[in-house]
Short mmCIF file of all heavy atoms in Angstrom, two decimals:
data_model
loop_
_atom_site.label_atom_id
_atom_site.label_comp_id
_atom_site.label_asym_id
_atom_site.label_seq_id
_atom_site.Cartn_x
_atom_site.Cartn_y
_atom_site.Cartn_z
N PRO A 25 12.79 21.98 -139.34
CA PRO A 25 11.58 21.67 -138.57
C PRO A 25 11.49 22.43 -137.26
O PRO A 25 10.39 22.77 -136.82
CB PRO A 25 11.69 20.16 -138.32
CG PRO A 25 13.11 19.81 -138.55
CD PRO A 25 13.65 20.81 -139.52
N GLU A 26 12.64 22.77 -136.66
CA GLU A 26 12.62 23.51 -135.39
C GLU A 26 12.10 24.93 -135.57
O GLU A 26 11.59 25.53 -134.63
CB GLU A 26 14.02 23.56 -134.76
CG GLU A 26 14.61 22.20 -134.46
CD GLU A 26 15.34 21.57 -135.66
OE1 GLU A 26 15.34 22.17 -136.77
OE2 GLU A 26 15.90 20.49 -135.48
N ALA A 27 12.23 25.49 -136.77
CA ALA A 27 11.70 26.83 -137.06
C ALA A 27 10.30 26.75 -137.66
O ALA A 27 9.46 27.62 -137.40
CB ALA A 27 12.63 27.56 -138.02
N LEU A 28 10.03 25.72 -138.45
CA LEU A 28 8.73 25.61 -139.10
C LEU A 28 7.62 25.34 -138.10
O LEU A 28 6.55 25.95 -138.17
CB LEU A 28 8.77 24.52 -140.18
CG LEU A 28 7.47 24.32 -140.97
CD1 LEU A 28 6.98 25.61 -141.60
CD2 LEU A 28 7.66 23.23 -142.02
N LEU A 29 7.83 24.43 -137.16
CA LEU A 29 6.77 24.08 -136.22
C LEU A 29 6.26 25.30 -135.45
O LEU A 29 5.04 25.54 -135.42
CB LEU A 29 7.22 22.98 -135.26
CG LEU A 29 6.15 22.51 -134.27
CD1 LEU A 29 4.94 21.92 -134.98
CD2 LEU A 29 6.73 21.53 -133.29
N PRO A 30 7.11 26.11 -134.82
CA PRO A 30 6.56 27.27 -134.10
C PRO A 30 5.90 28.29 -135.04
O PRO A 30 4.95 28.97 -134.64
CB PRO A 30 7.76 27.88 -133.37
CG PRO A 30 8.97 27.22 -133.92
CD PRO A 30 8.54 25.96 -134.59
N ALA A 31 6.36 28.38 -136.28
CA ALA A 31 5.72 29.29 -137.24
C ALA A 31 4.30 28.80 -137.54
O ALA A 31 3.36 29.62 -137.62
CB ALA A 31 6.55 29.39 -138.52
N LEU A 32 4.13 27.50 -137.68
CA LEU A 32 2.79 26.94 -137.92
C LEU A 32 1.91 27.12 -136.69
O LEU A 32 0.73 27.47 -136.80
CB LEU A 32 2.88 25.47 -138.30
CG LEU A 32 3.60 25.14 -139.60
CD1 LEU A 32 3.64 23.64 -139.83
CD2 LEU A 32 2.97 25.85 -140.79
N GLN A 33 2.48 26.91 -135.52
CA GLN A 33 1.71 27.09 -134.29
C GLN A 33 1.29 28.54 -134.09
O GLN A 33 0.21 28.81 -133.55
CB GLN A 33 2.51 26.57 -133.09
CG GLN A 33 2.63 25.06 -133.11
CD GLN A 33 3.59 24.52 -132.06
OE1 GLN A 33 4.48 25.21 -131.58
NE2 GLN A 33 3.41 23.25 -131.71
N ALA A 34 2.10 29.47 -134.56
CA ALA A 34 1.72 30.89 -134.49
C ALA A 34 0.52 31.17 -135.39
O ALA A 34 -0.39 31.93 -135.00
CB ALA A 34 2.91 31.78 -134.87
N LEU A 35 0.50 30.56 -136.58
CA LEU A 35 -0.67 30.72 -137.46
C LEU A 35 -1.91 30.12 -136.82
O LEU A 35 -3.01 30.69 -136.92
CB LEU A 35 -0.40 30.08 -138.83
CG LEU A 35 0.66 30.73 -139.70
CD1 LEU A 35 0.86 29.93 -140.98
CD2 LEU A 35 0.30 32.18 -140.02
N GLU A 36 -1.76 28.97 -136.17
CA GLU A 36 -2.89 28.36 -135.48
C GLU A 36 -3.41 29.29 -134.38
O GLU A 36 -4.62 29.48 -134.24
CB GLU A 36 -2.49 27.02 -134.85
CG GLU A 36 -2.22 25.92 -135.83
CD GLU A 36 -1.70 24.65 -135.17
OE1 GLU A 36 -1.16 24.72 -134.04
OE2 GLU A 36 -1.83 23.58 -135.79
N ALA A 37 -2.50 29.87 -133.62
CA ALA A 37 -2.89 30.77 -132.53
C ALA A 37 -3.62 31.99 -133.07
O ALA A 37 -4.62 32.44 -132.49
CB ALA A 37 -1.67 31.19 -131.72
N GLU A 38 -3.14 32.53 -134.20
CA GLU A 38 -3.81 33.68 -134.82
C GLU A 38 -5.24 33.34 -135.21
O GLU A 38 -6.11 34.21 -135.22
CB GLU A 38 -3.03 34.14 -136.05
CG GLU A 38 -1.75 34.86 -135.74
CD GLU A 38 -0.95 35.18 -137.00
OE1 GLU A 38 -1.56 35.35 -138.08
OE2 GLU A 38 0.28 35.25 -136.90
N ALA A 39 -5.48 32.07 -135.56
CA ALA A 39 -6.81 31.63 -135.94
C ALA A 39 -7.67 31.25 -134.73
O ALA A 39 -8.79 30.78 -134.89
CB ALA A 39 -6.72 30.44 -136.90
N GLY A 40 -7.12 31.40 -133.52
CA GLY A 40 -7.88 31.13 -132.32
C GLY A 40 -7.82 29.69 -131.84
O GLY A 40 -8.68 29.25 -131.08
N ARG A 41 -6.81 28.94 -132.24
CA ARG A 41 -6.70 27.53 -131.86
C ARG A 41 -6.60 27.37 -130.35
O ARG A 41 -5.81 28.04 -129.69
CB ARG A 41 -5.46 26.92 -132.53
CG ARG A 41 -5.06 25.53 -132.06
CD ARG A 41 -5.87 24.44 -132.72
NE ARG A 41 -5.62 23.13 -132.16
CZ ARG A 41 -4.85 22.20 -132.70
NH1 ARG A 41 -4.24 22.44 -133.85
NH2 ARG A 41 -4.71 21.02 -132.14
N GLN A 42 -7.43 26.49 -129.81
CA GLN A 42 -7.40 26.11 -128.40
C GLN A 42 -7.09 24.61 -128.34
O GLN A 42 -7.44 23.87 -129.26
CB GLN A 42 -8.75 26.37 -127.74
CG GLN A 42 -9.22 27.81 -127.84
CD GLN A 42 -8.43 28.73 -126.93
OE1 GLN A 42 -8.17 28.40 -125.78
NE2 GLN A 42 -8.06 29.89 -127.44
N ARG A 43 -6.48 24.15 -127.27
CA ARG A 43 -6.17 22.73 -127.09
C ARG A 43 -6.74 22.24 -125.75
O ARG A 43 -5.98 21.88 -124.85
CB ARG A 43 -4.66 22.52 -127.16
CG ARG A 43 -4.09 22.72 -128.55
CD ARG A 43 -2.56 22.56 -128.54
NE ARG A 43 -2.02 22.40 -129.86
CZ ARG A 43 -1.76 23.38 -130.70
NH1 ARG A 43 -2.01 24.62 -130.37
NH2 ARG A 43 -1.25 23.12 -131.89
N PRO A 44 -8.07 22.19 -125.62
CA PRO A 44 -8.63 21.79 -124.33
C PRO A 44 -8.46 20.31 -124.00
O PRO A 44 -8.41 19.94 -122.83
CB PRO A 44 -10.11 22.15 -124.45
CG PRO A 44 -10.37 22.11 -125.92
CD PRO A 44 -9.10 22.55 -126.57
N TYR A 45 -8.39 19.45 -125.01
CA TYR A 45 -8.19 18.01 -124.82
C TYR A 45 -7.75 17.41 -126.14
O TYR A 45 -7.92 18.03 -127.20
CB TYR A 45 -9.46 17.33 -124.28
CG TYR A 45 -10.70 17.52 -125.15
CD1 TYR A 45 -11.01 16.62 -126.17
CD2 TYR A 45 -11.56 18.59 -124.93
CE1 TYR A 45 -12.14 16.80 -126.96
CE2 TYR A 45 -12.69 18.77 -125.72
CZ TYR A 45 -12.97 17.87 -126.72
OH TYR A 45 -14.08 18.04 -127.51
N PRO A 46 -7.15 16.21 -126.14
CA PRO A 46 -6.68 15.60 -127.39
C PRO A 46 -7.82 15.42 -128.39
O PRO A 46 -8.94 15.04 -128.02
CB PRO A 46 -6.13 14.24 -126.94
CG PRO A 46 -5.77 14.43 -125.51
CD PRO A 46 -6.79 15.40 -124.97
N ASN A 47 -7.53 15.72 -129.64
CA ASN A 47 -8.48 15.59 -130.75
C ASN A 47 -9.70 16.49 -130.61
O ASN A 47 -10.75 16.20 -131.18
CB ASN A 47 -8.90 14.13 -130.95
CG ASN A 47 -7.73 13.25 -131.28
OD1 ASN A 47 -6.92 13.57 -132.14
ND2 ASN A 47 -7.62 12.13 -130.58
N ALA A 48 -9.57 17.56 -129.85
CA ALA A 48 -10.69 18.50 -129.70
C ALA A 48 -10.97 19.19 -131.03
O ALA A 48 -10.06 19.36 -131.85
CB ALA A 48 -10.34 19.55 -128.64
N PRO A 49 -12.22 19.61 -131.26
CA PRO A 49 -12.50 20.43 -132.44
C PRO A 49 -11.57 21.64 -132.44
O PRO A 49 -11.12 22.10 -131.39
CB PRO A 49 -13.96 20.84 -132.24
CG PRO A 49 -14.53 19.78 -131.35
CD PRO A 49 -13.40 19.38 -130.44
N ARG A 50 -11.28 22.15 -133.64
CA ARG A 50 -10.29 23.23 -133.72
C ARG A 50 -10.59 24.20 -134.84
O ARG A 50 -11.17 23.84 -135.85
CB ARG A 50 -8.89 22.67 -133.87
CG ARG A 50 -8.74 21.75 -135.05
CD ARG A 50 -7.64 20.77 -134.90
NE ARG A 50 -7.95 19.81 -133.87
CZ ARG A 50 -7.45 18.61 -133.77
NH1 ARG A 50 -6.56 18.20 -134.62
NH2 ARG A 50 -7.79 17.80 -132.82
N THR A 51 -10.14 25.44 -134.61
CA THR A 51 -10.30 26.49 -135.61
C THR A 51 -9.28 26.34 -136.73
O THR A 51 -9.54 26.76 -137.86
CB THR A 51 -10.14 27.88 -134.98
OG1 THR A 51 -8.86 27.94 -134.34
CG2 THR A 51 -11.24 28.15 -133.97
N LEU A 52 -8.12 25.75 -136.42
CA LEU A 52 -7.09 25.51 -137.44
C LEU A 52 -6.10 24.50 -136.90
O LEU A 52 -5.70 24.57 -135.74
CB LEU A 52 -6.34 26.81 -137.79
CG LEU A 52 -5.26 26.69 -138.87
CD1 LEU A 52 -5.86 26.23 -140.22
CD2 LEU A 52 -4.53 28.01 -139.06
N ASP A 53 -5.74 23.57 -137.75
CA ASP A 53 -4.73 22.56 -137.42
C ASP A 53 -3.75 22.49 -138.58
O ASP A 53 -4.16 22.27 -139.72
CB ASP A 53 -5.41 21.20 -137.21
CG ASP A 53 -4.45 20.14 -136.70
OD1 ASP A 53 -3.46 20.48 -136.04
OD2 ASP A 53 -4.72 18.95 -136.96
N LEU A 54 -2.48 22.72 -138.29
CA LEU A 54 -1.42 22.66 -139.29
C LEU A 54 -0.40 21.62 -138.83
O LEU A 54 0.18 21.77 -137.76
CB LEU A 54 -0.75 24.02 -139.46
CG LEU A 54 -1.67 25.16 -139.90
CD1 LEU A 54 -0.93 26.50 -139.83
CD2 LEU A 54 -2.20 24.92 -141.31
N ASP A 55 -0.22 20.58 -139.63
CA ASP A 55 0.71 19.51 -139.28
C ASP A 55 1.76 19.35 -140.37
O ASP A 55 1.42 19.29 -141.55
CB ASP A 55 -0.02 18.16 -139.14
CG ASP A 55 -0.86 18.07 -137.89
OD1 ASP A 55 -0.48 18.68 -136.87
OD2 ASP A 55 -1.90 17.38 -137.93
N ILE A 56 3.01 19.24 -139.95
CA ILE A 56 4.08 18.90 -140.89
C ILE A 56 3.97 17.40 -141.14
O ILE A 56 4.12 16.60 -140.22
CB ILE A 56 5.47 19.24 -140.33
CG1 ILE A 56 5.56 20.71 -139.91
CG2 ILE A 56 6.55 18.90 -141.37
CD1 ILE A 56 6.81 21.06 -139.12
N ILE A 57 3.71 17.03 -142.37
CA ILE A 57 3.59 15.61 -142.73
C ILE A 57 4.97 15.05 -143.06
O ILE A 57 5.34 13.97 -142.62
CB ILE A 57 2.62 15.41 -143.91
CG1 ILE A 57 1.23 15.96 -143.54
CG2 ILE A 57 2.56 13.95 -144.32
CD1 ILE A 57 0.62 15.38 -142.29
N ALA A 58 5.73 15.78 -143.84
CA ALA A 58 7.07 15.33 -144.21
C ALA A 58 7.89 16.52 -144.67
O ALA A 58 7.36 17.51 -145.16
CB ALA A 58 7.00 14.29 -145.32
N MET A 59 9.21 16.37 -144.49
CA MET A 59 10.17 17.35 -145.00
C MET A 59 11.22 16.56 -145.76
O MET A 59 12.17 16.05 -145.16
CB MET A 59 10.78 18.16 -143.85
CG MET A 59 9.76 19.01 -143.11
SD MET A 59 10.48 20.08 -141.84
CE MET A 59 11.16 21.40 -142.86
N GLY A 60 11.00 16.41 -147.06
CA GLY A 60 11.89 15.59 -147.87
C GLY A 60 11.93 14.18 -147.32
O GLY A 60 10.90 13.61 -146.96
N ASN A 61 13.12 13.61 -147.23
CA ASN A 61 13.29 12.27 -146.69
C ASN A 61 13.72 12.28 -145.23
O ASN A 61 14.20 11.28 -144.72
CB ASN A 61 14.32 11.50 -147.53
CG ASN A 61 13.76 11.17 -148.89
OD1 ASN A 61 12.58 10.84 -149.02
ND2 ASN A 61 14.60 11.26 -149.91
N MET A 62 13.56 13.43 -144.57
CA MET A 62 13.99 13.55 -143.18
C MET A 62 13.22 12.60 -142.28
O MET A 62 12.00 12.48 -142.38
CB MET A 62 13.79 14.99 -142.69
CG MET A 62 14.31 15.22 -141.28
SD MET A 62 14.00 16.92 -140.70
CE MET A 62 14.98 17.87 -141.86
N VAL A 63 13.96 11.94 -141.41
CA VAL A 63 13.38 11.08 -140.39
C VAL A 63 13.86 11.59 -139.04
O VAL A 63 15.06 11.71 -138.82
CB VAL A 63 13.78 9.60 -140.60
CG1 VAL A 63 13.25 8.73 -139.46
CG2 VAL A 63 13.31 9.09 -141.95
N ARG A 64 12.92 11.94 -138.18
CA ARG A 64 13.21 12.45 -136.83
C ARG A 64 12.35 11.69 -135.84
O ARG A 64 11.13 11.66 -135.98
CB ARG A 64 12.81 13.93 -136.72
CG ARG A 64 13.83 14.90 -137.16
CD ARG A 64 13.26 16.33 -137.09
NE ARG A 64 12.73 16.69 -135.79
CZ ARG A 64 13.27 17.60 -134.97
NH1 ARG A 64 14.36 18.23 -135.33
NH2 ARG A 64 12.71 17.87 -133.82
N ASP A 65 12.99 11.10 -134.85
CA ASP A 65 12.26 10.39 -133.81
C ASP A 65 12.02 11.25 -132.58
O ASP A 65 11.24 10.88 -131.72
CB ASP A 65 13.00 9.11 -133.40
CG ASP A 65 13.01 8.08 -134.51
OD1 ASP A 65 12.05 8.04 -135.30
OD2 ASP A 65 13.98 7.31 -134.59
N VAL A 66 12.70 12.39 -132.53
CA VAL A 66 12.52 13.28 -131.38
C VAL A 66 11.24 14.09 -131.59
O VAL A 66 10.88 14.41 -132.72
CB VAL A 66 13.73 14.21 -131.19
CG1 VAL A 66 14.96 13.42 -130.82
CG2 VAL A 66 13.98 15.05 -132.42
N PRO A 67 10.54 14.40 -130.52
CA PRO A 67 9.29 15.15 -130.68
C PRO A 67 9.52 16.60 -131.07
O PRO A 67 10.62 17.13 -130.97
CB PRO A 67 8.64 15.05 -129.30
CG PRO A 67 9.73 14.71 -128.36
CD PRO A 67 10.80 14.02 -129.15
N ASP A 68 8.44 17.16 -131.52
CA ASP A 68 8.36 18.58 -131.86
C ASP A 68 9.28 19.01 -132.99
O ASP A 68 10.14 19.84 -132.78
CB ASP A 68 8.55 19.44 -130.62
CG ASP A 68 7.47 19.17 -129.58
OD1 ASP A 68 6.35 18.81 -129.98
OD2 ASP A 68 7.76 19.31 -128.39
N PRO A 69 9.05 18.51 -134.18
CA PRO A 69 8.11 17.47 -134.60
C PRO A 69 8.79 16.13 -134.88
O PRO A 69 9.97 16.09 -135.21
CB PRO A 69 7.55 18.04 -135.88
CG PRO A 69 8.72 18.75 -136.50
CD PRO A 69 9.50 19.31 -135.32
N ILE A 70 8.01 15.07 -134.79
CA ILE A 70 8.44 13.76 -135.28
C ILE A 70 8.17 13.75 -136.78
O ILE A 70 7.09 14.17 -137.23
CB ILE A 70 7.66 12.62 -134.58
CG1 ILE A 70 8.00 12.60 -133.09
CG2 ILE A 70 7.94 11.28 -135.23
CD1 ILE A 70 7.13 11.67 -132.27
N LEU A 71 9.15 13.31 -137.56
CA LEU A 71 8.99 13.29 -139.03
C LEU A 71 9.39 11.94 -139.58
O LEU A 71 10.38 11.37 -139.11
CB LEU A 71 9.85 14.38 -139.66
CG LEU A 71 9.41 15.81 -139.36
CD1 LEU A 71 10.43 16.79 -139.90
CD2 LEU A 71 8.04 16.10 -139.92
N PRO A 72 8.66 11.46 -140.58
CA PRO A 72 7.39 11.99 -141.06
C PRO A 72 6.33 11.89 -139.96
O PRO A 72 6.52 11.20 -138.96
CB PRO A 72 7.04 11.10 -142.24
CG PRO A 72 7.76 9.82 -141.99
CD PRO A 72 9.02 10.19 -141.25
#
C-alpha cells in the first residue's frame, strides 16, 4: 500500500486532479478499497 497509493496519486495528478476542498468535483479519483485481507489503521492508506 505504501507504493500503490503514491502511484495512484500520480495517475490522478496526470489527469489534472485538484483538491480545493473535501469532496470537491474531480477529474479523477482512485481509491484503494482493499488489498486482500489486509487491515491497516494508519493513514495513507487506511485499509480496507
Side-chain angles (χ1 to χ4, degrees):
E26 301 85 356
L28 181 55
L29 182 62
L32 296 178
Q33 290 171 337
L35 293 177
E36 291 175 338
E38 286 175 28
R41 170 81 187 258
Q42 302 287 317
R43 290 177 165 82
Y45 57 90
N47 299 312
R50 56 205 69 157
T51 57
L52 182 61
D53 186 27
L54 300 172
D55 287 328
I56 305 169
I57 301 304
M59 296 184 78
N61 290 321
M62 184 182 297
V63 176
R64 274 176 55 111
D65 292 329
V66 294
D68 299 330
I70 294 171
L71 293 173

